[in-house]
Amino acid sequence: MAMTFQHGALLRFVLLYGGLFSAFGLVSPFLPAFLASRGLAPEDLGLVLGAGTAVRLVFGPLAGRLADRFHAFRAELALFAILAATAALSYFAVGAVWMVVVVSLFQAAALAPLVPLADALSLAHARPRDGSPGGFEYGW
């Protein structure tokens, strides 16, 4: 039974990371062109993408702090994943450049904590360093 849990937990984390990084890899090369097609000029595009990076630098640690405080890693991961997906779909509903900027910044804030929260959950389920049974090998 313990062996099944170990493989089940590992499979769930492999699927989680596979989904996260596949989505990032699929979207990243096309996002600038998509935003430009929504009306952003090159200088606006640079400003939005740079502001998105700044927003991620603030919201990632902030979300991690909240998850630590309330012990809500899973719930917060699910919430931010839903918010990020909603933001991504919102691009199709907005037309004005300022609304594209708002959606982009909201999506950056929602995406920021996903990988750190997934890492925290993975480490919580990983095999203890003392070699005791349970968990799975993290980082191999």
Side-chain angles (χ1 to χ4, degrees), residues 1-132:
M1 174 125 170
M3 187 65 89
T4 304
F5 174 74
Q6 292 172 9
H7 291 298
L10 177 60
L11 178 61
R12 287 192 303 270
F13 284 110
V14 166
L15 292 173
L16 174 62
Y17 283 113
L20 285 172
F21 289 111
S22 294
F24 295 151
L26 287 170
V27 171
S28 293
F30 303 107
L31 184 61
F34 177 76
L35 292 176
S37 76
R38 303 301 289 169
L40 268 71
E43 58 275 6
D44 296 333
L45 186 59
L47 183 66
V48 167
L49 294 176
T53 299
V55 165
R56 282 190 296 277
L57 287 172
V58 171
F59 277 88
L62 180 63
R65 178 79 171 140
L66 289 173
D68 280 339
R69 182 177 182 116
F70 296 109
H71 303 286
F73 294 94
R74 280 179 155 179
E76 198 171 297
L77 179 67
L79 173 67
F80 280 109
I82 290 167
L83 290 174
T86 302
L89 293 173
S90 297
Y91 280 120
F92 295 107
V94 299
V97 171
W98 71 272
M99 286 299 296
V100 173
V101 171
V102 168
V103 168
S104 182
L105 295 177
F106 178 72
Q107 186 185 34
L111 285 173
L114 294 182
V115 173
L117 289 172
D119 284 342
L121 285 169
S122 297
L123 288 170
H125 287 84
R127 181 173 298 136
R129 292 193 119 162
D130 65 4
S132 58

